Amino acid sequence: MMSSEKEFKKQVGKLYRQLLMAFGLIGVVVFLFLYIALNPSILVNKPTETTIVPVQEVAVEDKIENGIHVATGFVDGEGLTEVIQNCTNCHSAKLVTQNRMTREGWVATIRWMQETQNLWDLGNQEEAIVKYLAKNYAPQKKGRREILTDVEWYELSE
Ligand code: HEC
């Protein structure tokens, strides 16, 4: 009697473990099923990705658009290359383009940078640089409206 009870318990235990395993398996299958349902793309063979690099006709650094050198904002003109090479190393080109000076003013600014900011001797490039700056970043000629001349005054009648 005792042994058959033992046998019974053993059988129940075995069944119990089998059930657990079955549920475990079902769990895994359901999980996989849901995973695939939510990410169907994992079944599709992904084509090896090809990165298309557009071929640029002109390197970005050299691009001029509407007379403006795109990368720096400098006006296109003779001496532009020298200015880019010598005037954008320490500060942004904006510091240059937001200023307007006479030739003397530009030379003085260059001297000031040479004396106090370690700007190098511009050598034979200085002329091209100063010329470019004085031409393209000259003071605006008419900051104020000119004084009126040739006005026909009239008397105020009372
Ligand atoms: C070696 C570094 C260096 C180089 C190269 C350089 N600068 Fe400067 N520049 C400076 C420094 C530093 C300042 C001061 C920046 C500040 O005030 O924030 C300055 C300021 C300026 C200013 C503003 C001056 C003011 O009164 O506010 C102008 C304009 C300028 N630079 C133009 C030029 C031009 C044009 C060139 C090319 C010829 C040039 N820089 C090259 C270092 C340099």
Side-chain angles (χ1 to χ4, degrees):
M1 190 63 196
M2 200 59 192
S3 66
S4 76
E5 198 180 321
K6 243 186 180 167
E7 187 69 23
F8 179 66
K9 270 192 177 162
K10 215 171 132 189
Q11 288 293 324
V12 168
K14 205 171 154 191
L15 193 69
Y16 183 63
R17 275 193 304 270
Q18 278 170 348
L19 268 172
L20 268 186
M21 261 171 68
F23 278 124
L25 258 164
I26 290 168
V28 169
V29 168
V30 168
F31 175 80
L32 274 175
F33 185 81
L34 280 176
Y35 187 77
I36 290 165
L38 293 173
N39 305 281
S41 58
I42 61 164
L43 295 180
V44 183
N45 226 356
K46 272 196 207 133
T48 45
E49 264 175 57
T50 43
T51 341
I52 297 158
V53 181
V55 181
Q56 288 170 325
E57 294 126 59
V58 190
V60 177
E61 298 92 75
D62 302 334
K63 208 159 134 202
I64 306 277
E65 240 172 54
N66 302 322
I68 300 289
H69 180 250
V70 178
T72 58
F74 279 128
V75 172
D76 186 23
E78 212 174 309
L80 173 67
T81 316
E82 288 85 346
V83 169
I84 291 170
Q85 280 168 358
N86 291 283
C87 305
T88 57
N89 317 65
C90 305
H91 47 67
S92 106
K94 237 190 180 144
L95 197 58
V96 183
T97 58
Q98 73 194 3
N99 275 282
R100 293 185 157 271
M101 300 178 213
T102 57
R103 183 188 166 89
E104 292 70 40
W106 283 112
V107 172
T109 303
I110 289 171
R111 293 289 170 270
W112 169 78
M113 280 181 289
Q114 284 170 332
E115 277 156 30
T116 62
Q117 312 295 341
N118 291 325
L119 173 61
W120 44 85
D121 184 1
L122 296 168
N124 56 8
Q125 292 192 311
E126 183 170 306
E127 183 50 32
I129 291 170
V130 171
K131 225 176 185 170
Y132 169 91
L133 292 168
K135 181 178 174 215
N136 297 294
Y137 297 97
Q140 244 120 20
K141 283 176 195 93
K142 285 166 190 168
R144 310 175 84 208
R145 179 177 59 78
E146 275 182 293
I147 294 162
L148 294 175
T149 52
D150 251 10
V151 186
E152 278 182 46
W153 300 102
Y154 56 91
E155 300 289 329
L156 285 172
S157 49
E158 278 166 54

